[in-house]
Amino acid sequence: MSESQQNWIDLRSDTVTRPTPAMRELMHTAELGDDVYGDDPTVNRLQDYAADLFGYEAALFAPSGTQSNLLALLAHCARGDEYIVGQEAHTYKYEGGGAAVLGSIQPQPLTNQADGSIALDDIANAIKPDDFHFARSRLLALENTIGGKVLPPDYLQAATSLAHERGLATHLDGARICNAIVKLGISPRQAVLGFDSVSVCLSKGLGAPIGSVLCGSHDLINQAKRWRKMLGGGMRQAGMLAAAGLYALEHHIPRLAEDHANAERLANGLRQISALQVQTPQTNIVYADLPATACAGLAELLRENGILTRVTPHMRMVTHLDVSAADIDKVLSVFQTYFSKHPGVSPI
């Protein structure tokens, strides 16, 4: 984003957040060491804090959620193994096929239900018998939240129990698990019960500039550390980045409720426009369907008013710590202006 765009209202994703002044100060004063040698004290504090927060033996700081998820898949599965995953899951659809390309791990994608879950019967039926004709089913990978939807604890308990009973390990892509925690009003440990590992993104709603933490057993994290080195994820004096992640975990989880409230405010306002069909958001992601004929003109007007978002017939807008209630009201005003001036736009 150019300097002239620093004050734009950016609804493209919660990945666009910038460090807060308090976070920047902690980054500036962070103690540093060489993390590849394991002696960066700030990285170590982040890893210890994350492991304790989510109830695991150990944790590992990685540059990105894509790498953190890949580390988990590589640590859980060997060449010729298979992981069961949803068609809409980030690890399958949006991470470049890394497990297959770099780990020779076969994905077994299954249909996600409307609520984001995978039907338990589908999971059970996808687990392969112990037969050399088949890839070896080794892992069930779920995601929470998925598309902004929260998977309930009862479902997660049933799915992970099924996997363990059938000899599979379990991994949670928890890129936005803290949004689920706030929405459900439960503890971080409760939110990840039943999962052998979890990847927690620090650079989305939590507002750190970079990084994710992978939590799991000592053995799994030791394997992941080897893979991280192989993938170029050893970052040496990474304490400045880890300091931001530590601040995010310590201070920014409860405030996600503000993002959820702003998403609801946005959805409620958009519902007043008859040309739109708006889904009720569960967390910080709002989906709206609009006429294809409106997309180009609306996108232009939004940009003219300093609002960044991707305008498509099935449009996603994401609230985060750099978007205020006043910003939401401005966005709604621009939407209302456009559709009031284009009454001939065909409704959906």
Side-chain angles (χ1 to χ4, degrees):
M1 182 179 293
S2 68
E3 184 177 353
S4 64
Q5 292 176 314
Q6 286 294 312
N7 295 320
W8 284 39
I9 302 169
D10 195 340
L11 298 175
R12 291 174 297 175
S13 176
D14 44 10
T15 60
V16 303
T17 56
R18 295 182 293 273
T20 63
M23 186 182 286
R24 289 175 186 265
E25 178 61 25
L26 195 63
M27 295 170 70
H28 179 69
T29 59
E31 296 180 84
L32 304 179
D34 190 321
D35 181 47
V36 174
Y37 286 118
D39 63 8
D40 187 302
T42 308
V43 172
N44 292 339
R45 281 199 295 273
L46 167 63
Q47 292 172 162
D48 290 345
Y49 184 87
D52 180 69
L53 182 67
F54 288 94
Y56 290 89
E57 293 178 352
L60 183 66
F61 184 44
S64 70
T66 295
Q67 186 174 107
S68 181
N69 279 324
L70 181 58
L71 296 177
L73 297 178
L74 292 170
H76 281 297
C77 301
R79 288 171 56 88
D81 287 348
E82 158 184 285
Y83 76 106
I84 295 171
V85 64
Q87 287 271 10
E88 300 302 317
H90 217 274
T91 54
Y92 171 69
K93 191 173 182 179
Y94 298 108
E95 295 183 359
V101 174
L102 301 176
S104 296
I105 303 166
Q106 173 174 286
Q108 173 59 74
L110 302 177
T111 300
N112 288 99
Q113 303 300 305
D115 65 355
S117 67
I118 306 172
L120 297 179
D121 285 346
D122 289 348
I123 295 172
N125 292 333
I127 299 172
K128 308 299 187 291
D130 185 10
D131 182 320
F132 58 70
H133 291 90
F134 302 110
R136 295 164 296 205
S137 301
R138 284 287 184 265
L139 179 70
L140 172 65
L142 298 177
E143 183 174 339
N144 200 19
T145 64
I146 179 164
K149 298 172 182 176
V150 178
L151 299 181
D154 288 349
Y155 167 77
L156 296 175
Q157 190 276 328
T160 55
S161 294
L162 168 62
H164 289 148
E165 288 166 4
R166 298 287 297 273
L168 275 64
T170 54
H171 172 67
L172 179 65
D173 177 0
R176 294 184 176 91
I177 188 61
C178 293
N179 292 90
I181 288 165
V182 169
K183 174 66 175 180
L184 295 171
I186 60 178
S187 72
R189 292 189 177 202
Q190 289 173 308
V192 298
L193 279 176
F195 288 97
D196 298 300
S197 60
V198 59
S199 172
V200 181
C201 187
L202 306 170
S203 63
K204 292 187 172 71
L206 295 182
I210 189 173
S212 290
V213 284
L214 175 65
C215 302
S217 67
H218 286 300
D219 181 63
L220 182 130
I221 294 302
N222 283 335
Q223 293 182 64
K225 191 175 296 184
R226 183 176 184 86
W227 283 115
R228 187 186 70 171
K229 177 63 177 175
M230 195 180 303
L231 294 171
M235 295 188 290
R236 304 298 179 181
Q237 288 75 30
M240 287 184 289
L241 300 172
L246 185 60
Y247 185 92
L249 287 176
E250 290 178 330
H251 298 282
H252 283 176
I253 294 177
R255 66 143 307 279
L256 292 171
E258 300 172 24
D259 301 340
H260 299 178
N262 282 334
E264 187 173 356
R265 186 187 191 96
L266 177 60
N268 288 339
L270 292 176
R271 283 195 194 93
Q272 308 308 309
I273 300 171
S274 61
L276 307 181
Q277 293 181 357
V278 184
Q279 296 180 14
T280 299
Q282 294 184 27
T283 53
N284 67 322
I285 300 179
V286 177
Y287 288 97
D289 293 330
L290 61 151
T293 53
C295 291
L298 177 61
E300 182 179 359
L301 187 61
L302 287 166
R303 194 168 187 87
E304 287 174 357
N305 283 273
I307 299 164
L308 290 174
T309 188
R310 188 164 174 264
V311 183
T312 64
H314 184 61
M315 184 177 179
R316 187 185 86 153
M317 291 164 280
V318 186
T319 59
H320 50 80
L321 64 81
D322 288 334
V323 175
S324 67
D327 292 334
I328 295 299
D329 291 342
K330 179 177 179 180
V331 172
L332 290 172
S333 177
V334 174
F335 267 84
Q336 290 159 358
T337 296
Y338 176 82
F339 284 101
S340 67
K341 291 183 177 179
H342 298 83
V345 170
S346 300
I348 298 170

